[in-house]
Amino acid sequence: MLQSLTIQDFRCIERAELEFAPDTNLIIGPNASGKTSLLEAIFFLGRARSFRTARLGPLIRDGAHELMVTGQVRNGQRTVPVGLRRGRRGAEMRLGGQPLRGLADLTENFPVQILDPTVHGLLDGGPRERRKFLDWGVFHVEQSFHGYWQRYSRALKQRNVVLRSEGGRAEAIPWERELAEAGEAIDSARRVYLQAITPSLEAVASTLLGSGEGVAAEYEPGWAAGESLADALARSWERDRSAGSTQVGPHRGDLSVRLGPHRVQDRVSRGQQKVLAGALVLTQLAEYRRRTGRAAALLADDLAAELDPAFLGRFLELAQSGGSQLFITVIRPENLPETVISSAKVFHVEHGVVGAG
Ligand SMILES: Nc1ncnc2c1ncn2[C@@H]1O[C@H](COP(=O)(O)OP(=O)(O)O)[C@@H](O)[C@H]1O
Ligand SMILES: [Mg+2]
């Protein structure tokens, strides 16, 4: 839970010092006032990156040398200070008063998810987004997961080096052993996780869509069903050699989401896709809450522009009841349900200036 935030020279925000409510925060402002920038700064505190751009340069306010975002994150009884500073040349990140050891610690300390107008990409985009979604969920409830991913990524890189260097199969065998072990662990953690969230995914999706057709999410592991990853790697050797990289394994996994008998990508409207993607994220946040007792942050950017009021109302009420800390941006608050407005702490943004009340 993000208690307080100080922003300096981030996008159009020169300086802001804010105290947030533990449940619902409403950020109101006209177009181009800085609403999304504020959400970006919050996201930055948990991910050290933006959800809008892969480059960090554009985040530094025009004319400034560096940006700074600091905050106090409350986890149960503990309050942990976080601070990130980024100049055009270098960066400094601190967590709990110490230099940051790895990004995983930052992410673990402040879990944050974003729902913005591109959210449907989770369903109609490539498998990468869906893997990231799944792994975000597993990472935050399963401590060993990150270690397996680190081992897996290292071994994958090494096997790919062998593939490209015309090396013989024997050179790849130790890496394949490592890939098989870490990869099977990643695979089974994903399956267990998906199984755990499936009942609430079905319930949330049917509440949101108001549809009789059931929603189902099926995991596709990234190699042939019924085969061990070790066998799949061995069988894929020649193909991988001509491709120059490893074609099987959890880094090729996917999530197939269905509504009734149809794949969501092939069938449902963009509006429904947004709602379904929202359902996936809400389910994940609720699972996080259930497993850790902690509240993750959900950034909901401009959803009133995307969803009709009835959908939006149901969605936000579900988000509130799931126990996440919400940050909702809106141009016209009258587009939000009264229950959300009356329970929220309100911030007004204009020309990059953020004020409470
Ligand atoms: N690095 C930057 N320095 C200064 N202004 C910026 C920077 N990046 C973006 N902006 C400006 O910030 C303004 C607010 O953007 P945004 O947060 O997207 O507004 P909103 O979400 O309220 O519509 C825009 O006018 C944009 O041009
Ligand atoms: Mg915006």
Side-chain angles (χ1 to χ4, degrees), residues 154-168:
R154 248 191 319 263
L156 185 63
K157 217 178 265 169
Q158 294 304 326
R159 184 176 185 267
N160 288 343
V161 168
V162 179
L163 285 168
R164 284 174 206 142
S165 70
E166 310 282 301

Side-chain angles (χ1 to χ4, degrees), residues 236-265:
S236 190
W237 177 256
E238 287 306 328
R239 184 165 66 119
D240 293 355
R241 252 251 274 256
S242 30
S245 65
T246 303
Q247 305 292 305
V248 291
H251 65 292
R252 303 294 294 258
D254 198 355
L255 199 59
S256 161
V257 184
R258 288 170 184 276
L259 184 65
H262 307 288
R263 274 164 62 94
V264 161
Q265 298 94 307

Side-chain angles (χ1 to χ4, degrees), residues 18 48 56 83 97 114 133 141 144 148 197 208-209 212 217 229 242 258 262 266 277 287 308 318 325 339 341 349 355:
L18 307 165
L56 293 171
I114 168 83
F133 164 81
V141 299
S144 60
Y148 283 121
I197 66 168
L208 286 175
L209 288 173
L229 180 52
S242 30
R258 288 170 184 276
H262 307 288
D266 308 335
E287 178 69 4
D308 72 47
L318 269 176
Q325 186 183 24
T339 50
I341 300 174
V349 192

Side-chain angles (χ1 to χ4, degrees), residues 214-333:
V215 172
E218 197 177 306
Y219 175 55
E220 297 170 355
W223 70 94
E227 194 172 29
S228 71
L229 180 52
D231 289 347
L233 285 164
R235 201 160 58 81
S236 190
W237 177 256
E238 287 306 328
R239 184 165 66 119
D240 293 355
R241 252 251 274 256
S242 30
S245 65
T246 303
Q247 305 292 305
V248 291
H251 65 292
R252 303 294 294 258
D254 198 355
L255 199 59
S256 161
V257 184
R258 288 170 184 276
L259 184 65
H262 307 288
R263 274 164 62 94
V264 161
Q265 298 94 307
D266 308 335
R267 180 74 174 201
V268 312
S269 73
R270 175 131 308 171
Q272 282 177 311
Q273 285 183 11
K274 288 182 196 276
V275 173
L276 271 174
L280 282 166
V281 172
L282 284 189
T283 303
Q284 188 164 65
L285 295 173
E287 178 69 4
Y288 175 77
R289 172 82 193 203
R290 193 178 72 78
R291 294 278 288 272
T292 65
R294 292 168 53 187
L298 175 60
L299 313 179
D301 197 18
D302 234 354
L303 293 189
E306 300 290 319
L307 303 174
D308 72 47
F311 268 158
L312 185 67
R314 267 179 285 176
F315 182 81
L316 292 177
E317 275 154 26
L318 269 176
Q320 285 186 314
S321 67
S324 300
Q325 186 183 24
L326 300 180
F327 297 85
I328 303 165
T329 70
V330 71
I331 297 175
R332 274 180 293 278

Side-chain angles (χ1 to χ4, degrees), residues 11-12 30-37 52 58-62:
R11 294 278 196 194
C12 60
N31 258 322
S33 56
K35 301 182 298 300
T36 304
S37 303
R52 278 206 281 197
L59 303 182
I60 302 174
R61 193 172 65 88
D62 295 345

Side-chain angles (χ1 to χ4, degrees), residues 12-329:
C12 60
I13 304 172
E14 185 175 347
R15 187 166 171 89
E17 269 180 71
L18 307 165
E19 301 272 334
F20 293 118
D23 36 33
T24 307
N25 298 276
L26 189 57
I27 298 153
I28 304 171
N31 258 322
S33 56
K35 301 182 298 300
T36 304
S37 303
L38 175 54
L39 294 190
E40 253 181 323
I42 296 172
F43 189 86
F44 196 69
L45 210 59
R47 306 279 192 103
R49 64 178 178 84
S50 160
F51 51 82
R52 278 206 281 197
T53 159
R55 293 184 310 128
L56 293 171
L59 303 182
I60 302 174
R61 193 172 65 88
D62 295 345
H65 295 293
E66 59 175 29
L67 64 80
M68 203 172 76
V69 182
T70 62
Q72 300 281 341
V73 175
R74 188 153 184 87
N75 289 327
Q77 299 303 315
R78 287 190 320 147
T79 302
V80 182
V82 194
L84 283 77
R85 183 206 299 272
R86 193 149 224 322
R88 305 237 176 240
R89 286 205 195 89
E92 188 195 0
M93 306 195 223
R94 297 179 73 82
L95 178 66
Q98 305 286 326
L100 186 71
R101 283 175 308 160
L103 278 184
D105 291 344
L106 195 72
T107 305
E108 208 271 325
N109 180 61
F110 180 50
V112 52
Q113 278 284 31
I114 168 83
L115 282 179
D116 72 359
T118 68
V119 57
H120 55 88
L122 183 55
L123 293 166
D124 69 3
R128 197 183 134 82
E129 290 304 310
R130 288 182 290 280
R131 281 195 296 270
K132 277 204 313 213
F133 164 81
L134 196 53
D135 290 343
W136 187 97
V138 188
F139 170 85
H140 282 289
V141 299
E142 189 53 66
Q143 287 215 320
S144 60
F145 192 66
H146 181 61
Y148 283 121
W149 254 123
Q150 283 182 314
R151 282 175 55 191
Y152 186 84
S153 310
R154 248 191 319 263
L156 185 63
K157 217 178 265 169
Q158 294 304 326
R159 184 176 185 267
N160 288 343
V161 168
V162 179
L163 285 168
R164 284 174 206 142
S165 70
E166 310 282 301
R169 179 88 210 294
E171 271 179 67
I173 297 277
W175 302 121
E176 287 187 13
R177 244 181 242 134
E178 180 74 355
L179 281 171
E181 196 178 307
E184 297 276 5
I186 291 166
D187 182 68
S188 75
R190 282 173 170 176
R191 284 174 198 279
V192 168
Y193 179 75
L194 193 60
Q195 211 159 33
I197 66 168
T198 293
S200 56
L201 174 64
E202 286 167 359
V204 169
S206 80
T207 306
L208 286 175
L209 288 173
S211 136
E213 282 188 306
V215 172
E218 197 177 306
Y219 175 55
E220 297 170 355
W223 70 94
E227 194 172 29
S228 71
L229 180 52
D231 289 347
L233 285 164
R235 201 160 58 81
S236 190
W237 177 256
E238 287 306 328
R239 184 165 66 119
D240 293 355
R241 252 251 274 256
S242 30
S245 65
T246 303
Q247 305 292 305
V248 291
H251 65 292
R252 303 294 294 258
D254 198 355
L255 199 59
S256 161
V257 184
R258 288 170 184 276
L259 184 65
H262 307 288
R263 274 164 62 94
V264 161
Q265 298 94 307
D266 308 335
R267 180 74 174 201
V268 312
S269 73
R270 175 131 308 171
Q272 282 177 311
Q273 285 183 11
K274 288 182 196 276
V275 173
L276 271 174
L280 282 166
V281 172
L282 284 189
T283 303
Q284 188 164 65
L285 295 173
E287 178 69 4
Y288 175 77
R289 172 82 193 203
R290 193 178 72 78
R291 294 278 288 272
T292 65
R294 292 168 53 187
L298 175 60
L299 313 179
D301 197 18
D302 234 354
L303 293 189
E306 300 290 319
L307 303 174
D308 72 47
F311 268 158
L312 185 67
R314 267 179 285 176
F315 182 81
L316 292 177
E317 275 154 26
L318 269 176
Q320 285 186 314
S321 67
S324 300
Q325 186 183 24
L326 300 180
F327 297 85
I328 303 165
T329 70

